[in-house]
Amino acid sequence: MTDELPGGLPELRASDADREQVTEVLRDALAEGRLDMEEFEERLEATYKARTYRDLEPITRDLPAPGVTPPSPAVSMVKQPAEAGDWAGRVVGGDGSSRWGVAIMGGFERKGRWTMPKRFNSFAFWGGGVIDLREANFADGEVVVNCVAIMGGMSVIVPPGVEVVVRGIGVMGGFDHREEGVLGDPGAPRVVVTGFAFWGGVGVERKVTKAERLRQKEERRLEKLERKAARQEELEESRRRALEGGGTRSDGRGDSLDEARSLHRAAMEQHREMMREHREERRERREDRRDRD
């Protein structure tokens, strides 16, 4: 008899399929706006760590099951802010939540949910700063990040879809121009990086958020599972044909040699695919370390 904990949920180990069902509910909730990116990230990590049904149950407790339409709320006559994922909803106007960043023999960070003003001024002397715009709102359709780096460095991180223009001047230093020339999405803001670098540098990098990276990683994991299942099915079919012999040729000799070659080719393809997956996993680990740094 299975022991049950209070609430009626058995203390049974959850499978990968169980965790995938929870992940699907979370993805639907994110797409429908029931969860923001931060909540999605937290719940997705909790899903990966879940070991039992009891661990999984709270993750989707306040979300509708797939295919179930919850009752519609009463219509509000008060204008609500647009969804966070919509570019029009992220250009919010106003003065911005922070206008300065200073690092003197130290460092500063502006990241997470904040409002980028029309002009953000930053200064680093024997130090460094990070201006992360991936989850930021924008006070205007065009914003300026002014960076002055004296024997120090700055890092400007923008999300995909944003147009970047670099106009800084470097003296025994430099500004990163690699992200220039990429067209922005319709309605996306334009980020102008300007300033002065002396014995220092200003880097510009285009990165997705951690939650989006986890979503992409989950998609790659599912694709790998599908490829693995297809390879296994192909290998089993080759083995079956090899065991059956496949009939005889016109000269009376069996086709076992052809089947053995087919089996060998399938096994080699499986080995090559495993090596590709191993390289992808190493690349993902490097990306994880870089994001933590």
Side-chain angles (χ1 to χ4, degrees):
M1 181 176 179
T2 303
D3 294 335
E4 292 193 359
L5 297 178
L9 282 178
E11 188 68 4
L12 296 178
R13 304 286 288 187
S15 66
D16 287 341
D18 297 324
R19 282 183 279 270
E20 175 54 30
Q21 288 181 2
V22 174
T23 301
E24 188 66 30
V25 174
L26 295 178
R27 282 199 291 262
D28 290 343
L30 177 65
E32 295 167 356
R34 303 183 195 279
L35 297 177
D36 59 28
M37 295 299 284
E38 185 176 356
E39 291 170 324
F40 173 76
E41 175 187 335
E42 292 174 354
R43 297 194 189 198
L44 190 60
E45 289 183 352
T47 302
Y48 289 143
K49 295 177 181 178
R51 294 292 177 264
T52 66
Y53 288 116
R54 173 56 59 86
D55 297 331
L56 288 174
E57 191 273 337
I59 297 174
T60 57
R61 181 182 295 160
D62 58 346
L63 299 175
V68 176
T69 302
S72 299
V75 177
S76 173
M77 300 305 294
V78 179
K79 181 175 177 60
Q80 300 296 325
E83 294 293 333
D86 182 15
W87 282 119
R90 294 179 63 177
V91 181
V92 297
D95 296 329
S97 56
S98 177
R99 294 187 177 186
W100 280 90
V102 178
I104 299 176
M105 293 184 287
F108 75 87
E109 280 188 333
R110 297 293 183 273
K111 61 188 297 187
R113 297 184 180 277
W114 65 295
T115 300
M116 169 70 190
K118 293 182 179 180
R119 183 181 180 89
F120 182 87
N121 295 300
S122 58
F123 175 78
F125 175 73
W126 279 13
V130 176
I131 302 103
D132 190 339
L133 303 177
R134 288 178 292 176
E135 298 182 54
N137 290 326
F138 297 82
D140 195 70
E142 179 172 303
V143 296
V144 177
V145 183
N146 183 51
C147 301
V148 177
I150 309 297
M151 293 182 286
M154 298 280 188
S155 177
V156 181
I157 304 174
V158 300
V162 169
E163 182 184 359
V164 176
V165 178
V166 180
R167 297 173 179 166
I169 299 173
V171 177
M172 291 185 287
F175 278 72
D176 188 352
H177 290 259
R178 288 177 298 177
E179 297 300 336
E180 279 193 303
V182 180
L183 294 178
D185 292 342
R190 186 176 190 234
V191 177
V192 179
V193 180
T194 185
F196 176 73
F198 176 72
W199 279 11
V202 177
V204 182
E205 189 174 7
R206 194 183 302 271
K207 295 170 63 176
V208 298
T209 62
K210 185 178 180 182
E212 176 63 16
R213 183 168 52 82
L214 286 173
R215 187 191 66 78
Q216 294 175 357
K217 184 176 180 181
E218 177 67 13
E219 287 184 352
R220 290 195 297 268
R221 186 184 72 85
L222 293 177
E223 290 174 357
K224 286 192 290 186
L225 288 176
E226 292 175 358
R227 292 198 303 267
K228 183 178 180 180
R231 290 197 311 269
Q232 189 65 30
E233 183 178 350
E234 181 182 355
L235 188 58
E236 291 297 331
E237 179 65 19
S238 298
R239 287 173 179 167
R240 184 186 62 78
R241 290 197 304 266
L243 291 174
E244 291 176 353
T248 60
R249 294 197 184 107
S250 59
D251 59 6
R253 291 183 297 172
D255 290 338
S256 58
L257 181 58
D258 289 341
E259 297 298 342
R261 288 172 176 168
S262 177
L263 181 62
H264 176 71
R265 285 195 297 269
M268 291 301 296
E269 178 60 30
Q270 185 178 39
H271 174 71
R272 285 192 291 269
E273 184 64 26
M274 290 175 62
M275 293 302 295
R276 283 195 293 268
E277 291 179 359
H278 180 63
R279 289 193 293 269
E280 288 178 4
E281 290 173 357
R282 287 191 299 178
R283 178 178 57 79
E284 289 175 357
R285 286 196 294 269
R286 288 196 299 269
E287 291 177 353
D288 290 340
R289 287 195 296 268
R290 185 176 68 245
D291 289 342
R292 286 194 296 269
D293 296 339

